[in-house]
Amino acid sequence: MNGPVFDIAHMLAGGLVLVSMMMLYQDRLYALLNVFALHSLLLTLSVAWQAFVQDAPHLYVTAAIALVFKAIVIPVVLHRMIRQLGIHREIETVVGIGPTMLAGICLVALATVVMLRVTPEADPLAREDLAFALSVLLLGLLIMVTRRNAVSQVVGFMSLENGLVLAATGAKGMPLVVEISVAFSILIAFIVIGVFLFRIRERFDTVDVRALDDFKGRRRK
């Protein structure tokens, strides 16, 4: 494989992992949303580069969807939701930033070791992309698990989906119709999540998911 082709793909996919680690570090909602927009922009560039490398024009559609919806629309809408709901701007975490970052590093190492071991015969570019994609997916799960604020959990879910898109484009196996259906599914899920956030804020005067746990405990009593 041509060296620069591999290096650029490696840099873009690795950049997604780095920005996922940056999301773990954020303790303010606006900063988290800005970093997520950067995450989606890097996904756009990575998918567009894969479209060029694979000579797959339909991947440019995937890149355009990621740019419009994930890098622009979703962050802007979430910014407005935070202002309208009057949400507390600081993010409460289940554990401290230090242990969370350490767990993130361990997950990246685990994803790299596992993926490179189980795909020894695969194309080198696909192997690297799949390893990075699994890292992004696991880091997205970690964001969801370690954040108490519902908005930050939404961002974790969206970054997890970015990892799935990276894996699908790197594996050279996702047709255009599937990409479009996944994009619309994510958009619908985002709308449902938005309604869910408004209902939580209206009912509990907060978007901290601990309020739901407390409510369930009172109902059981």
Side-chain angles (χ1 to χ4, degrees), residues 85-166:
L85 294 173
I87 298 173
H88 188 56
R89 307 284 172 81
E90 294 183 357
I91 302 173
E92 295 187 17
T93 58
V94 176
V95 294
I97 295 296
T100 301
M101 296 293 290
L102 181 60
I105 293 171
C106 293
L107 288 176
V108 172
L110 176 64
T112 303
V113 170
V114 169
M115 191 56 65
L116 294 183
R117 282 182 179 271
V118 300
T119 58
E121 305 299 329
D123 177 81
L125 181 57
R127 291 181 70 202
E128 295 288 343
D129 272 355
L130 288 174
F132 285 131
L134 181 58
S135 299
V136 172
L137 191 151
L138 292 177
L139 291 174
L141 286 173
L142 184 61
I143 293 171
M144 296 179 68
V145 170
T146 58
R147 299 300 190 268
R148 291 194 175 113
N149 185 284
V151 175
S152 59
Q153 292 182 351
V154 171
V155 173
F157 170 74
M158 294 295 173
S159 67
L160 182 155
E161 200 272 336
N162 282 353
L164 293 176
V165 173
L166 179 64

Side-chain angles (χ1 to χ4, degrees), residues 32-204:
L32 180 64
L33 294 179
N34 292 336
V35 175
F36 171 71
L38 175 61
H39 195 266
S40 299
L41 179 59
L42 278 175
L43 176 69
T44 299
L45 296 175
S46 181
V47 174
W49 183 250
Q50 288 286 350
F52 171 74
V53 171
Q54 300 177 26
D55 192 22
H58 68 278
L59 289 181
Y60 288 114
V61 177
T62 305
I65 291 173
L67 176 63
V68 173
F69 288 102
K70 295 183 179 180
I72 299 175
V73 174
I74 289 177
V76 169
V77 172
L78 285 176
H79 272 284
R80 290 182 178 178
M81 287 175 60
I82 291 172
R83 288 197 298 270
Q84 291 177 4
L85 294 173
I87 298 173
H88 188 56
R89 307 284 172 81
E90 294 183 357
I91 302 173
E92 295 187 17
T93 58
V94 176
V95 294
I97 295 296
T100 301
M101 296 293 290
L102 181 60
I105 293 171
C106 293
L107 288 176
V108 172
L110 176 64
T112 303
V113 170
V114 169
M115 191 56 65
L116 294 183
R117 282 182 179 271
V118 300
T119 58
E121 305 299 329
D123 177 81
L125 181 57
R127 291 181 70 202
E128 295 288 343
D129 272 355
L130 288 174
F132 285 131
L134 181 58
S135 299
V136 172
L137 191 151
L138 292 177
L139 291 174
L141 286 173
L142 184 61
I143 293 171
M144 296 179 68
V145 170
T146 58
R147 299 300 190 268
R148 291 194 175 113
N149 185 284
V151 175
S152 59
Q153 292 182 351
V154 171
V155 173
F157 170 74
M158 294 295 173
S159 67
L160 182 155
E161 200 272 336
N162 282 353
L164 293 176
V165 173
L166 179 64
T169 54
K172 308 178 184 180
M174 189 165 65
L176 178 60
V177 63
V178 175
E179 295 169 14
I180 294 177
S181 64
V182 168
F184 277 105
S185 297
I186 293 299
L187 181 60
I188 293 172
F190 179 73
I191 294 173
V192 172
I193 289 170
V195 174
F196 178 65
L197 288 175
F198 274 98
R199 292 296 295 170
I200 292 178
R201 182 68 174 80
E202 181 182 291
R203 176 66 178 81
F204 301 105

